[in-house]
Amino acid sequence: MRRSGQHRQHGKQGGGATGIYAKLMIAVVVLLICTLSLLFSATISGNRGSLEPSVINAEELWESANSGGWRPSSAPRSDWPPPPRETNGYLRVRCNGGLNQQRSAICNAVLAARIMNATLVLPELDANSFWHDDSGFQGIYDVENFIQTLKYDVRIVESIPAIRKNGKTKKIKAYQLRPPRDAPISWYTTVALEKMQEHGAIYLTPFSHRLAEEIDNPEYQRLRCRVNYHALRFKPNIMKLSESIVDKLRAQGHFMSIHLRFEMDMLAFAGCFDIFNPEEQSILKKYRKENFAEKRLVYEERRAIGKCPLTPEEVGLVLHAMGFDNSTRIYLAAGELFGGERFMKPFRALFPRLENHSSVDSSEELATNSQGLLGSAVDYMVCLLSDIFMPTYDGPSNFANNLLGHRLYYGFRTTIRPDRKGLAPIFIDRENGRTAGFEQAVRRVMLKTNFGRPHKRVPPESFYTNSWPECFCQVSPKNPADKCPPDNVLEMLDSRLENEVTSDLEALVEKNLTSRTER
């Protein structure tokens, strides 16, 4: 009996051991599954990280962005006949606004002249509405280069010539017209052309944003690029002065340019008053009332949707979060900053190596015209040639928008475009004391922005900000429409233009001979 009892006892122990072993095996399997699952998740996360980097390499931003095989080219891709010898009349325009608003107006004027088969009179630059500067086109731009570069496109004269009629010399009086804003091509081929043919010349004023930007004709868009990036060259003294400043800045390595749009006109336009003291708010509100249409503007609402220019401190915080340190050399392109030094102090504490055209070059030429067209032209060129460009407000700022487009065309040069709407809640949290993860949050927003690479133009982005793909081409394209034109395309156009002139001269000689024979 004892053995039998012992036997039963041993049997129970054996069954218990088997149960424990089974449970251990289940635990091992579960653990193995969890481990494999974690490894798989880590692999997926790692792969995702390689596609969407979680950090910004500030050093890489000093180099131009990846072009994806594209290069700038605004030469015609299809049949583009030279301007006929006989035109429908003369086109005068008055370009109002600041230097860069005038620049886009000049591009539109050339295109309008081409559309109407008109002779373009050298554009007039408004001396009163913005800069109070009477330098004029001849005082800022290289006139000879402008005319020579566009000889395949339009005929250009410096003034409307006098005509001799009934033995008297008479000057053609241009008929004044006010074009509608963003007028379609059809307005120029009907209303404007009819008045031109009736009077011999028309005068379009004001001429800012008076031709639609989005035109379904790539050759017309490429003409705009030829004007903007080739024909509109500043005068030699401005180019020399700008290059001298760039050389001095680059003598110590890379440098960044920032268009700090924290100025009275832009702050008043945006309706961003609450960060200023009562006296400053009064100045801004008065300026707004005198210069802009009445509109209900609530600061908190405006800021939350990114409608306020970044403060200098916010600019510094964005750059610091992206990995730039206090050794970064920065060129500031800006007018008089509103609010004074108290707004600049936090920025200067983060980035003490700040320069502007006056601090780099103290020549009398700049000192006497630092806030006029000359100062703006120098700022434009320095920003164009800088290694990195950052606009702090690229809404209705023509300076920033044109530069973004020019730098893209100039070789996909790096631009840093803060997403003000994406950054607004992060800055608001910081002001309310919630600072944890601030820099990581800024980087996440900035990683979604474009750093100067080719990208699709989506309204409301301006053609002058992004002329890709019309004004770019590929040497080895997947789409034949993107193929670069022949390298000798300008020689071909030149030869064609010469043939047209020769034919005209031969026809004129033949006409004169016929006339003499008949006599």
Side-chain angles (χ1 to χ4, degrees):
M1 292 294 294
R2 188 179 296 161
R3 289 178 182 172
S4 175
Q6 286 175 346
H7 178 74
R8 282 197 298 269
Q9 189 177 4
H10 287 198
K12 286 179 182 177
Q13 287 175 346
T18 303
I20 292 169
Y21 178 75
K23 289 177 181 177
L24 283 171
M25 287 298 295
I26 292 170
V28 169
V29 170
V30 170
L31 183 63
L32 184 62
I33 291 171
C34 290
T35 304
L36 290 172
S37 177
L38 286 170
L39 286 171
F40 181 74
S41 298
T43 303
I44 294 296
S45 299
N47 290 339
R48 188 180 294 122
S50 65
L51 293 172
E52 299 175 11
S54 58
V55 295
I56 297 174
N57 188 332
E59 284 301 314
E60 289 182 358
L61 292 179
W62 292 114
E63 305 300 327
S64 295
N66 185 356
S67 69
W70 292 86
R71 66 179 178 87
S73 174
S74 55
R77 313 280 201 277
S78 57
D79 185 56
W80 188 255
R85 190 170 186 80
E86 296 296 325
T87 68
N88 288 317
Y90 294 92
L91 172 64
R92 281 180 62 199
V93 298
R94 181 175 67 87
C95 306
N96 55 306
L99 178 71
N100 294 283
Q101 190 168 320
Q102 293 172 358
R103 192 180 184 99
S104 56
I106 294 167
C107 297
N108 287 341
V110 172
L111 179 54
R114 174 77 188 198
I115 290 167
M116 293 190 290
N117 182 27
T119 297
L120 178 67
V121 180
L122 215 58
E124 300 165 24
L125 306 187
D126 185 8
N128 301 313
S129 66
F130 196 84
W131 291 114
H132 304 285
D133 186 322
D134 59 1
S135 302
F137 192 99
Q138 294 92 331
I140 295 295
Y141 294 109
D142 184 333
V143 174
E144 185 180 346
N145 179 74
F146 184 73
I147 295 173
Q148 182 67 18
T149 303
L150 298 173
K151 65 182 180 180
Y152 313 111
D153 307 302
V154 291
R155 297 192 183 280
I156 302 171
V157 294
E158 295 199 29
S159 60
I160 299 177
I163 58 169
R164 193 160 182 82
K165 192 174 182 180
N166 300 327
K168 295 181 180 180
T169 302
K170 184 181 178 182
K171 192 173 182 180
I172 300 173
K173 186 176 181 181
Y175 180 85
Q176 187 168 320
L177 271 174
R178 184 185 180 94
R181 187 177 176 88
D182 299 321
I185 288 176
S186 58
W187 184 86
Y188 288 90
T189 56
T190 54
V191 177
L193 183 57
E194 182 183 329
K195 292 297 180 184
M196 179 179 285
Q197 291 173 328
E198 181 182 344
H199 298 275
I202 58 172
Y203 181 35
L204 304 184
T205 177
F207 199 73
S208 172
H209 306 290
R210 301 294 157 171
L211 177 58
E213 280 193 18
E214 292 301 328
I215 296 175
D216 190 21
N217 184 324
E219 294 298 1
Y220 283 171
Q221 299 293 55
R222 282 190 271 273
L223 174 55
R224 277 173 161 158
C225 290
R226 288 199 290 283
V227 181
N228 207 5
Y229 307 135
H230 297 279
L232 282 176
R233 181 195 295 165
F234 293 120
K235 289 186 71 174
N237 66 307
I238 296 175
M239 298 296 284
K240 186 178 179 181
L241 185 57
S242 305
E243 288 164 6
S244 170
I245 291 175
V246 170
D247 288 343
K248 289 175 184 176
L249 289 167
R250 193 161 282 143
Q252 298 181 43
H254 295 300
F255 79 96
M256 175 190 302
S257 61
I258 296 179
H259 186 221
L260 199 55
R261 200 69 168 94
F262 200 71
E263 299 152 333
M264 181 169 64
D265 64 324
M266 189 51 64
L267 290 162
F269 171 82
C272 301
F273 307 141
D274 291 27
I275 58 174
F276 299 99
N277 63 39
E279 184 183 351
E280 291 165 341
Q281 288 190 33
S282 177
I283 294 170
L284 289 173
K285 288 174 182 177
K286 182 175 182 291
Y287 186 92
R288 178 169 180 83
K289 187 175 182 180
E290 292 173 351
N291 294 278
F292 304 111
E294 190 175 342
K295 189 177 181 182
R296 179 182 172 273
L297 299 173
V298 179
Y299 171 71
E300 289 82 2
E301 294 175 0
R302 301 285 290 169
R303 192 184 181 200
I305 58 173
K307 294 297 183 182
C308 288
L310 294 181
T311 68
E313 181 181 20
E314 288 170 344
V315 174
L317 291 170
V318 169
L319 292 175
H320 189 266
M322 291 178 66
F324 295 98
D325 59 30
N326 61 5
S327 68
T328 305
R329 193 160 200 188
I330 296 174
Y331 178 90
L332 289 180
E336 185 178 349
L337 265 64
F338 192 75
E341 182 61 22
R342 80 174 189 277
F343 283 100
M344 279 301 296
K345 193 174 179 180
F347 183 36
R348 205 182 301 278
L350 287 168
F351 295 96
R353 301 185 69 189
L354 299 180
E355 304 278 6
N356 58 31
H357 56 232
S358 299
S359 67
V360 181
D361 189 297
S362 56
S363 63
E364 186 180 345
E365 185 177 15
L366 262 177
T368 56
N369 197 359
S370 63
Q371 296 300 320
L373 288 173
L374 174 64
S376 185
V378 169
D379 275 348
Y380 186 94
M381 286 306 303
V382 175
C383 289
L384 174 64
L385 298 172
S386 64
D387 301 295
I388 296 173
F389 172 62
M390 179 183 185
T392 62
Y393 193 75
D394 56 349
S397 173
N398 293 290
F399 183 94
N401 285 333
N402 277 335
L403 264 168
L404 290 167
H406 205 155
R407 286 176 65 85
L408 191 75
Y409 190 86
Y410 202 73
F412 305 97
R413 295 202 157 201
T414 299
T415 57
I416 297 174
R417 299 176 69 179
D419 176 359
R420 295 188 308 278
K421 186 175 181 179
L423 291 168
I426 302 171
F427 285 125
I428 292 169
D429 280 349
R430 182 178 180 274
E431 288 161 16
N432 293 328
R434 296 186 290 272
T435 58
F438 170 77
E439 292 202 341
Q440 294 92 322
V442 169
R443 283 194 292 273
R444 277 196 298 273
V445 170
M446 293 306 298
L447 276 165
K448 296 175 184 175
T449 64
N450 185 281
F451 290 114
R453 298 184 300 272
H455 60 283
K456 185 178 180 181
R457 183 172 68 253
V458 179
E461 187 175 32
S462 164
F463 174 80
Y464 294 103
T465 301
N466 180 13
S467 59
W468 185 86
E470 293 96 332
C471 297
F472 295 82
C473 66
Q474 286 186 309
V475 178
S476 304
K478 293 179 182 177
N479 182 353
D482 297 328
K483 185 176 176 58
C484 288
D487 291 336
N488 65 338
V489 64
L490 293 182
E491 293 173 18
M492 293 163 63
L493 289 172
D494 207 20
S495 174
R496 185 170 179 178
L497 185 62
E498 285 179 9
N499 290 338
E500 292 275 346
V501 171
T502 302
S503 298
D504 287 343
L505 288 172
E506 288 174 351
L508 185 63
V509 169
E510 187 176 341
K511 182 180 178 182
N512 289 337
L513 288 172
T514 304
S515 177
R516 288 174 184 173
T517 303
E518 289 174 352
R519 287 175 192 171

